[in-house]
Amino acid sequence: MAPDKIPGGPRGTGKRGSASSVKHRGPIMLRRERKAEVANADRRLLDQRGPSDWVHTDPWRVLRIQSEFIEGFGALAEVPRAVTVFGSARTPDGSPEYDAARELGSALAAAGFAVITGGGPGIMEGANRGAVENDGYSIGLGIELPHEQGLNEWVDLGINFRYFFARKTMFVKYSQAFICMPGGFGTLDELFEALTLVQTGKVTRFPIVLFGTEFWGGLVDWIRTTLVATGKISATDVDLLHVTDSVDEAVRIVVESQKSVEPDELDEFDEVGEGVEEW
């Protein structure tokens, strides 16, 4: 559906109330302060200070965690091959990095991949937008945060998670590659999570692309001069990272990684993700 034909007007219009009046609790949206503000789900799970009633409530919370996995698996089970694009939510529309993310999303769609992001603004919005503009499939996996702004308007399929670990599983399970654009702690978290899984053999045939040589160059140099030099990792571990400034090169790396995958091997992701033997 074209942007100007969406019910309620163009993308970004027709919204009820201001963004500050909308609250999200996992997949649930609340307007106009219907309920008092409460801590987010991860904080309630991990923060053990306060009354001891957590002894009685945590076993029940396991069911909520289970439901997140069930909802995620059910919603994403039939998505096409996909690539996850990470990057900063603070990147403004019209900036070079936003435009690059938009171009990347479009190029991935042209190559036959769905685009998965964290569903937020900035780089994530740019990648989702590029996919939609090139008639691709755009997916957003959001997370409950104290100041959550909701999924961006270019997401075709969106899921809001309460727990980071459930969301991370979906990123890995349903992606054939990660492309990390300039970002903050969240992007670094996902980057090193993926690196650890690949390094330890939990995930195979899973390229990790760092887009932006100027932004990522210092980190890669530190990995070589500190981690490798002090024996914390092997020199070959650095080869797990592909650094580029080219959208075409990033997509080529992903496409080439898939050429060696046999059709039967696409079922290896039954437990967690493609090439994942265990979690």
Side-chain angles (χ1 to χ4, degrees):
M1 182 178 293
D4 59 350
K5 295 182 180 179
I6 292 178
R11 292 184 185 269
T13 65
K15 297 180 180 178
R16 295 172 54 208
S18 66
S20 61
S21 68
V22 179
K23 303 295 181 184
H24 294 270
R25 291 175 49 199
I28 301 171
M29 181 185 69
L30 302 174
R31 292 186 187 273
R32 298 190 299 278
E33 300 294 341
R34 292 297 190 186
K35 294 184 179 181
E37 182 72 20
V38 293
N40 64 56
D42 271 319
R43 186 185 304 170
R44 290 193 298 270
L45 173 64
L46 299 175
D47 192 346
Q48 296 186 12
R49 295 171 296 176
S52 61
D53 61 355
W54 65 269
V55 175
H56 306 288
T57 60
D58 274 4
W60 291 104
R61 187 169 287 123
V62 170
L63 297 178
R64 177 178 288 178
I65 293 169
Q66 182 184 50
S67 74
E68 290 219 335
F69 283 100
I70 293 172
E71 289 170 354
F73 291 156
L76 298 170
E78 297 182 357
V79 301
R81 294 186 309 162
V83 174
T84 292
V85 178
F86 291 113
S88 176
R90 305 183 185 190
T91 303
D93 184 354
S95 66
E97 290 175 357
Y98 182 99
D99 292 342
R102 189 173 171 183
E103 181 183 353
L104 178 61
S106 178
L108 288 169
F113 293 95
V115 173
I116 302 177
T117 76
I123 293 292
M124 296 173 280
E125 178 187 297
N128 287 134
R129 180 177 179 179
V132 170
E133 290 174 334
N134 203 13
D135 200 29
Y137 196 15
S138 173
I139 301 166
L141 306 182
I143 187 70
E144 177 193 78
L145 295 172
H147 303 291
E148 178 61 52
Q149 296 298 309
L151 298 172
N152 70 67
E153 57 193 346
W154 299 94
V155 169
D156 295 323
L157 170 62
I159 308 172
N160 273 309
F161 290 87
R162 295 180 178 90
Y163 301 103
F164 272 107
F165 54 82
R167 180 179 182 241
K168 282 183 177 180
T169 300
M170 303 303 153
F171 280 132
V172 177
K173 175 172 174 56
Y174 294 104
S175 297
Q176 272 65 55
F178 281 177
I179 299 179
C180 298
M181 301 194 71
F185 286 155
T187 301
L188 291 172
D189 177 43
E190 298 293 354
L191 165 60
F192 283 104
E193 176 93 11
L195 274 174
T196 302
L197 292 173
V198 176
Q199 181 200 45
T200 56
K202 300 294 186 180
V203 183
T204 59
R205 299 183 182 88
F206 195 93
I208 302 169
V209 180
L210 301 181
F211 191 93
T213 55
E214 182 177 355
F215 183 86
W216 295 109
L219 175 62
V220 176
D221 288 342
W222 177 80
I223 290 173
R224 288 196 179 99
T225 59
T226 302
L227 297 186
V228 174
T230 59
K232 302 299 187 295
I233 64 172
S234 301
T236 55
D237 289 334
V238 183
D239 297 333
L240 299 177
L241 294 168
H242 307 272
V243 188
T244 183
D245 289 313
S246 167
V247 168
D248 290 340
E249 175 70 6
V251 175
R252 185 195 64 78
I253 291 169
V254 175
V255 171
E256 289 293 326
S257 74
Q258 295 299 296
K259 289 183 177 179
S260 61
V261 179
E262 298 296 330
D264 291 344
E265 295 181 37
L266 295 177
D267 295 329
E268 290 181 9
F269 225 6
D270 288 341
E271 295 298 325
V272 178
E274 180 184 321
V276 174
E277 298 175 1
E278 60 178 304
W279 187 254

